[in-house]
Amino acid sequence: MDALFPTYARWDLTVESAEGAIIVDNTGKKYLDFVSGIAVCNLGHRHPDVVRAVEEQLKKYWHVSNLFKSDIQQEVAEKLVTNSDLDAVFFCNSGAEANEAALKLARKYTQKSKIITFKQSFHGRTLGTMAATGQEKIHSGFGPLLQEFVYLPYNDCEALEQAMDDSVAAVMVEVVQGEGGVIPGTEEFLKKIEELCSLHGSLFIIDEVQTGIGRTGKAFAHQHFNLSPDIITLAKGLGNGLPVGAMLGKEKLKEAFGPGSHGSTFGGNPISLAAAKATLAIIFQEEFLAEVEEKGAYLKAELSNALANHDLIEGVRGSGLLLGIACKEEVAAPITALRENGLLTLPAGPNVIRLLPPLTVTYEQIDEAVKLIKETLVAEFIR
């Protein structure tokens, strides 16, 4: 008997061990991992610095609650604000929780309730973040949603200008829509959001859950465009596999989130933050981030060249090491074939193969992945 709710369409693969960019299943078969726990293990599996930091914290204490002052929370928070344009941090356990905190803070600070998000966005599966998500398939079956969300076309400045007015509490956006198809936002569009939020007294919220922590070659993806959001949300890569999320906000927002306004029993857990501290110490180095940009450009160019003459491939898009191969047919079968051939990838909608290798992936591993993708897609699409 299966004692789990069937909420996931699980692969026929049971992991036995993992290290770096390699996963080994319970039969001994090895896989090149271009999933990274869905953009979570940005330093790869079992990075020695993260392992050491967690082991050291385990020997001290695991949990005491947020009633106590916490040096490690202060240290990680300072690292995050020092590398961003934000001033204060709230720790939680996941991206959905970080986005819930952002939505609550925006409504409380502005005393307004209308929030603009975008079609094909993804912000989580709680009642609040599900309502923020601009995808009908996420909404279906759950009855009336939290009110006053407006969904606009992504990268559409005209629609945004028409919808914005002084009743809008916030605009929430992803710099690259990950789950929605690996669709990058244009600089014009993102700058327009910033401009209109400032004009109408609305908060500018950027969901960096998938794009943050070095994934695009910057500490945070919005830094490619010199944006200054009021709030950003983080999770996934922050703890390199341990559950931790964070909401970062501007100094002015502190007044709206005083004692009793929000909370999280496990938020800021010292074990998770030990992992986060070790992760950020590596990823926030300029040399490391520059190398991620170089690897991302290399992977994108190699894929584009390898698939250039393939009639059913529309192109390769994305930023850094968050890339998508857009196809003219559904990609479920090719993704399964890739897995059988030893490369783990993900869908991003029905027609996009999403690639999320560890930021520590080697050029040799990139070359191997490109070879497997070319061979597998040719075999799957030309049959």
Side-chain angles (χ1 to χ4, degrees):
M1 182 185 73
D2 191 337
L4 298 171
F5 272 107
T7 50
Y8 303 100
R10 298 181 190 270
W11 300 341
D12 186 18
L13 192 165
T14 302
V15 177
E16 183 67 25
S17 64
E19 187 166 1
I22 303 298
I23 279 177
V24 182
D25 72 13
N26 59 353
T27 71
K29 181 176 178 177
K30 293 184 178 180
Y31 302 82
L32 185 54
D33 183 11
F34 271 44
V35 172
S36 302
I38 315 181
V40 168
C41 299
N42 284 4
L43 292 177
H45 299 282
R46 297 178 56 244
H47 189 284
D49 287 12
V50 179
V51 171
R52 184 162 47 249
V54 169
E55 288 177 342
E56 288 175 0
Q57 184 60 45
L58 279 167
K59 294 174 184 175
K60 296 177 181 179
Y61 66 98
W62 299 355
H63 177 81
V64 291
S65 92
N66 284 307
L67 296 174
F68 297 82
K69 291 184 177 181
S70 170
D71 288 341
I72 196 164
Q73 285 190 12
Q74 288 289 342
E75 290 169 6
V76 177
E78 287 172 10
K79 190 76 169 177
L80 289 169
V81 300
T82 299
N83 286 274
S84 70
D85 195 29
L86 289 305
D87 304 295
V89 180
F90 172 81
F91 286 114
C92 51
N93 307 287
S94 68
E97 287 182 54
N99 285 335
E100 282 280 353
L103 297 172
K104 283 183 65 174
L105 178 54
R107 289 171 62 129
K108 191 164 190 289
Y109 177 79
T110 64
Q111 291 296 293
K112 298 184 284 189
S113 55
K114 184 188 293 184
I115 295 174
I116 291 175
T117 63
F118 297 92
K119 294 177 182 179
Q120 295 307 118
S121 61
F122 183 82
H123 300 294
R125 294 182 182 273
T126 60
L127 279 172
T129 58
M130 177 176 68
T133 294
Q135 298 190 49
E136 176 58 33
K137 69 178 183 180
I138 303 298
H139 303 164
S140 181
F142 292 100
L145 301 176
L146 185 66
Q147 296 301 298
E148 294 205 73
F149 281 95
V150 176
Y151 312 114
L152 300 180
Y154 192 65
N155 279 332
D156 189 330
C157 293
E158 183 178 348
L160 180 67
E161 287 186 299
Q162 291 176 357
M164 282 295 291
D165 58 35
D166 291 349
S167 70
V168 175
V171 179
M172 176 182 272
V173 67
E174 300 158 276
V175 176
V176 180
Q177 288 191 326
E179 304 291 330
V182 191
I183 303 170
T186 66
E187 183 170 7
E188 178 190 14
F189 173 65
L190 296 168
K191 288 282 192 182
K192 181 60 70 173
I193 297 174
E194 184 174 47
E195 173 193 327
L196 292 174
C197 282
S198 177
L199 179 65
H200 291 287
S202 310
L203 296 186
F204 181 20
I205 304 173
I206 298 183
D207 180 338
E208 291 262 16
V209 170
Q210 187 160 162
T211 57
I213 318 298
R215 175 54 56 182
T216 68
K218 297 286 187 186
F220 310 106
H222 70 268
Q223 292 172 336
H224 289 285
F225 305 102
N226 295 314
L227 300 169
S228 183
D230 297 293
I231 296 173
I232 67 171
T233 55
L234 304 171
K236 290 190 180 290
L238 181 54
N240 208 63
L242 273 75
V244 56
M247 178 195 69
L248 281 61
K250 291 282 182 68
E251 179 72 26
K252 66 183 181 181
L253 302 177
K254 281 185 176 181
E255 65 185 58
F257 247 29
S261 59
H262 198 50
S264 172
T265 296
F266 296 106
N269 175 273
I271 304 301
S272 292
L273 287 193
K277 181 180 175 181
T279 298
L280 298 182
I282 297 170
I283 290 178
F284 281 179
Q285 295 179 55
E286 287 186 19
E287 305 81 18
F288 184 92
L289 290 169
E291 191 172 334
V292 173
E293 279 203 274
E294 291 167 6
K295 288 176 181 176
Y298 179 79
L299 174 56
K300 191 174 184 179
E302 290 296 301
L303 281 171
S304 297
N305 289 335
L307 302 174
N309 298 318
H310 201 309
D311 291 341
L312 294 178
I313 305 296
E314 294 182 338
V316 182
R317 62 192 184 217
S319 180
L321 288 171
L322 166 53
L323 296 178
I325 303 169
C327 304
K328 295 178 182 177
E329 291 190 2
E330 293 192 1
V331 297
I335 286 173
T336 299
L338 283 167
R339 185 163 66 247
E340 291 170 351
N341 292 338
L343 177 66
L344 304 179
T345 62
L346 287 170
N351 294 86
V352 178
I353 299 171
R354 186 171 20 154
L355 306 177
L356 295 163
L359 308 185
T360 52
V361 67
T362 66
Y363 284 96
E364 292 77 13
Q365 289 169 333
I366 289 174
D367 290 341
E368 181 182 351
V370 171
K371 180 175 179 290
L372 285 169
I373 289 168
K374 181 179 181 180
E375 292 174 351
T376 304
L377 292 191
V378 168
E380 282 298 305
F381 282 141
I382 303 175
R383 50 185 183 270

